[in-house]
Amino acid sequence: MAVLHKSEADVCRSKSALPRASKVVLSVEAKYYVASTLGLGLGRAFLGLCNEIQRTNRFFIATSPSKSIAKLLSKHTNLYDLEFTPLAPHNIDVMRGLFEKVFSSFVAQEA
């Protein structure tokens, strides 16, 4: 999921184009795995994407814990949650707070 500047979203829709990294306010890589485990490749792919585009305000959330992904991501970012479910309301509140900080900073910079 990506949150973009409105003008960038309009261009992307009209031209069927990918957004420019500098116009992505926030992005979330979300994985819903219930019956299987997260592979380390998912964490590596996320980090590769973050290196390819802007590193700030990029989040990784998943519904099932993975020690290998937690170990990998903890070395590179703290913007992840591997137990993001309605059964863990505290985790949801923490992530919501991080998103709110991103949006507050965005609004302050655009004012």
Side-chain angles (χ1 to χ4, degrees), residues 32-98:
Y32 181 76
Y33 282 66
V34 177
S36 61
T37 58
L38 299 171
L40 187 57
L42 292 173
R44 289 180 177 150
F46 172 72
L47 292 176
L49 180 64
C50 289
N51 283 331
E52 190 173 308
I53 60 175
Q54 218 172 357
R55 290 184 181 203
T56 58
N57 304 324
R58 306 301 184 245
F59 298 84
F60 185 94
I61 61 174
T63 56
S64 60
S66 167
K67 289 182 183 177
S68 60
I69 291 181
K71 185 176 180 179
L72 175 70
L73 294 180
S74 68
K75 293 178 183 176
H76 300 278
T77 181
N78 64 345
L79 302 178
Y80 70 94
D81 186 344
L82 301 177
E83 296 185 51
F84 192 80
T85 78
L87 301 175
H90 173 73
N91 294 16
I92 293 171
D93 291 341
V94 168
M95 196 60 62
R96 181 184 298 125
L98 293 171

